[in-house]
Structure formats: C-alpha cells, structure tokens
Amino acid sequence: MLIFMICFLFSVIIGIVAGLIHHKPAAPKGPTFLYGGGVFGGSLTLCLVVLTSLRVL
C-alpha cells in the first residue's frame, strides 16, 4: 500500500507541474485541468506497470 501511495503522490506532482507548464494566462483553465489530469493518469499507469513488471507490486 505504501508503494502505491508513493506512485500516486509522484503522479500528482507530475500532473500539477504539467498543468502549470501548459497553462497560459489569457487562456481558460478548463483545458489545463484536463491536460494535467491526463498526464496524471498516464504517469500513474506507467509507474504501476513498471513496478508490476519488476514484481514489486
């Protein structure tokens, strides 16, 4: 469970940073949230797949 939480928090940080990089001041915030959420989902999936293939999970 601890390793899953580490992957989750790592993915949240990656999603937040990606959203901040993608955001432009004059643009609406909706697409930025969707982009950050997509990056979060992708990084969480990638992290879990790598840990599963290494037989950590």
Side-chain angles (χ1 to χ4, degrees), residues 4-48:
F4 176 76
M5 288 304 295
I6 291 171
C7 285
F8 182 80
L9 292 175
F10 182 70
S11 298
V12 166
I13 291 170
I14 291 174
I16 289 171
V17 170
L20 288 174
I21 290 172
H22 185 263
H23 179 66
K24 295 179 180 45
K29 293 184 176 108
T32 300
F33 283 117
L34 288 175
Y35 185 79
V39 171
F40 162 75
S43 65
L44 182 62
T45 303
L46 181 65
C47 186
L48 291 176

